Amino acid sequence: MNFTHRFKGLSLSCLLLSSSIYAASPADKYPESMLYSHPVKIAEHVWSAIGATQYYSYENGGHNNNLSFVIGEEAVLVVNGGASYQLAKALHDEIKKQTTLPVKYVVDENGQSHATLGNSYWKEQGATIIAHEDALEEIEEKGLDGLESLKLILKERFENTSLVEIDQTFKETMSLDLGGLQVELIHFGPAHSAGDISVFIPSSNVLIAGDMAFHQRLLPVFPDTDTAEWLATWQTKFAPYAADKIIIPGHGEATDFKTVDQWTRGYLEYIRGKVGELIEEGGMLEDAYKIDQSPYAHLETFDALAAKNAGRIFEAMEFE
């Protein structure tokens, strides 16, 4: 497979001079479907419908994360239930173009709405819904709020969507057999949100990293995100495992480890370093919002997240 990240080799200065490479991405790349974009084959057995790198919108159908699927000899595994019943159905329509095999498993990469609300469709198809035990807690705490929020955004495109129970949870790893094809579910440790997991397909050397890894949009720091632990997870567990693999991140196109390392670990170390300097100098929270983050200004969602990220990291690092 001739797989090369399309911006490989461009210098950082070139990226910055091109204003915002991803900001001009269209509202919808696949208007005849609820999906934002048509699924693409990443490697043997592995496909992914790459979501919008912007926030949820009516136009992108709530498809602002990657919805992937793995085809074995006897069954199909889907990674992320999707943001709604209709979005999940749209993905299934595309799966049916590739195989007549049943979708046996749906694995949610975390407890966020765009990973879980489409589970209502997959449950009707007889799939077993799997998530990390910490993701289950997030769904129980925040699921109804996410449901109401997306209902307002997607309107009639949200029809039939409901919260459903997770069938199985795990703590560290889980192996699944799709018939002649093994799939490994892995919780590397604390990262971007509660219960973040990755899915590895050994025969294809593809790691569906989920929200462990970012590269085309600025990573978000949530109120409960521990960036120190995320970095520790990355350096001690994720990086050694992912270094030689094809990476499908939670958002954006498939790429390699070097790329996600630059824009995930690199960003976390950069912003924590700047915040640390500010704290040592006696700076205040309002100063954190003004930290220069221009090396990352080309990433989607930068304007919405950069200052917010700095503020949340400042508040956390004051007590580290």
Side-chain angles (χ1 to χ4, degrees):
M1 178 182 61
N2 183 17
F3 185 85
T4 306
H5 185 249
R6 65 182 180 184
F7 297 115
K8 187 175 182 180
L10 286 180
S11 67
L12 179 60
S13 60
C14 287
L15 291 174
L16 293 175
L17 287 171
S18 63
S19 66
S20 181
I21 289 175
Y22 302 107
S25 56
D28 188 8
K29 292 183 178 180
Y30 193 17
E32 59 268 42
S33 169
M34 272 280 287
L35 293 171
Y36 174 75
S37 65
H38 191 281
V40 293
K41 189 173 184 178
I42 306 300
E44 193 66 26
H45 307 294
V46 184
W47 298 71
S48 191
I50 307 300
T53 46
Q54 306 94 345
Y55 289 107
Y56 300 118
S57 71
Y58 181 85
E59 290 74 19
N60 65 39
H63 181 198
N64 74 332
N65 63 334
N66 294 340
L67 305 177
S68 304
F69 56 94
V70 184
I71 302 175
E73 294 180 6
E74 298 175 2
V76 179
L77 176 145
V78 168
V79 181
N80 287 327
S84 72
Y85 181 102
Q86 291 189 48
L87 184 59
K89 183 180 183 301
L91 181 67
H92 200 192
D93 290 342
E94 298 296 328
I95 294 171
K96 290 175 182 177
K97 295 177 183 179
Q98 305 300 329
T99 181
T100 59
L101 293 171
V103 174
K104 187 174 182 179
Y105 302 108
V106 172
V107 178
D108 296 336
E109 69 186 7
N110 51 41
Q112 295 177 44
S113 296
H114 56 196
T116 61
L117 290 179
N119 290 345
S120 50
Y121 171 82
W122 297 113
K123 183 85 78 168
E124 283 188 6
Q125 312 312 306
T128 297
I129 313 297
I130 303 172
H132 189 266
E133 57 186 26
D134 292 343
L136 178 60
E137 291 184 18
E138 182 169 6
I139 295 167
E140 291 172 345
E141 292 176 6
K142 303 176 182 178
L144 285 175
D145 289 340
L147 186 79
E148 292 304 313
S149 176
L150 272 169
K151 184 177 181 180
L152 292 174
I153 294 170
L154 297 182
K155 303 174 185 178
E156 80 281 356
R157 307 185 94 179
F158 203 62
E159 185 178 358
N160 297 324
T161 305
S162 63
L163 281 174
V164 297
E165 292 184 2
I166 300 296
D167 297 311
Q168 289 182 242
T169 63
F170 69 100
K171 185 174 183 178
E172 296 181 355
T173 62
M174 177 183 285
S175 296
L176 299 173
D177 184 2
L178 303 183
L181 188 70
Q182 289 294 124
V183 176
E184 306 294 330
L185 314 184
I186 307 165
H187 176 63
F188 288 102
H192 147 273
S193 65
D196 278 325
I197 63 170
S198 300
V199 178
F200 181 49
I201 304 91
S203 66
S204 305
N205 197 39
V206 172
L207 182 65
I208 304 174
D211 284 345
M212 277 293 307
F214 289 77
H215 74 110
Q216 287 181 341
R217 59 162 289 181
L218 190 70
L219 64 86
V221 176
F222 293 156
D224 55 354
T225 301
D226 188 323
T227 56
E229 289 194 342
W230 189 349
L231 270 174
T233 296
W234 187 280
Q235 293 165 337
T236 63
K237 295 183 179 180
F238 183 77
Y241 192 93
D244 61 346
K245 295 173 176 58
I246 298 167
I247 306 294
I248 302 177
H251 303 265
E253 298 170 2
T255 185
D256 54 22
F257 173 76
K258 181 179 179 181
T259 301
V260 294
D261 186 62
Q262 177 180 2
W263 302 110
T264 305
R265 177 196 54 77
Y267 176 72
L268 289 171
E269 289 184 345
Y270 177 90
I271 188 62
R272 283 179 57 84
K274 292 291 185 182
V275 169
E277 291 173 5
L278 183 62
I279 291 173
E280 288 182 3
E281 294 167 359
M284 306 296 288
L285 176 60
E286 54 265 32
D287 301 313
Y289 297 129
K290 303 172 187 176
I291 288 174
D292 178 17
Q293 299 185 50
S294 57
Y296 302 90
H298 66 285
L299 299 175
E300 286 260 31
T301 67
F302 176 86
D303 291 341
L305 291 175
K308 188 183 299 183
N309 285 353
R312 287 174 174 165
I313 291 173
F314 180 93
E315 291 176 317
M317 288 183 67
E318 279 188 304
F319 299 97
E320 285 183 5

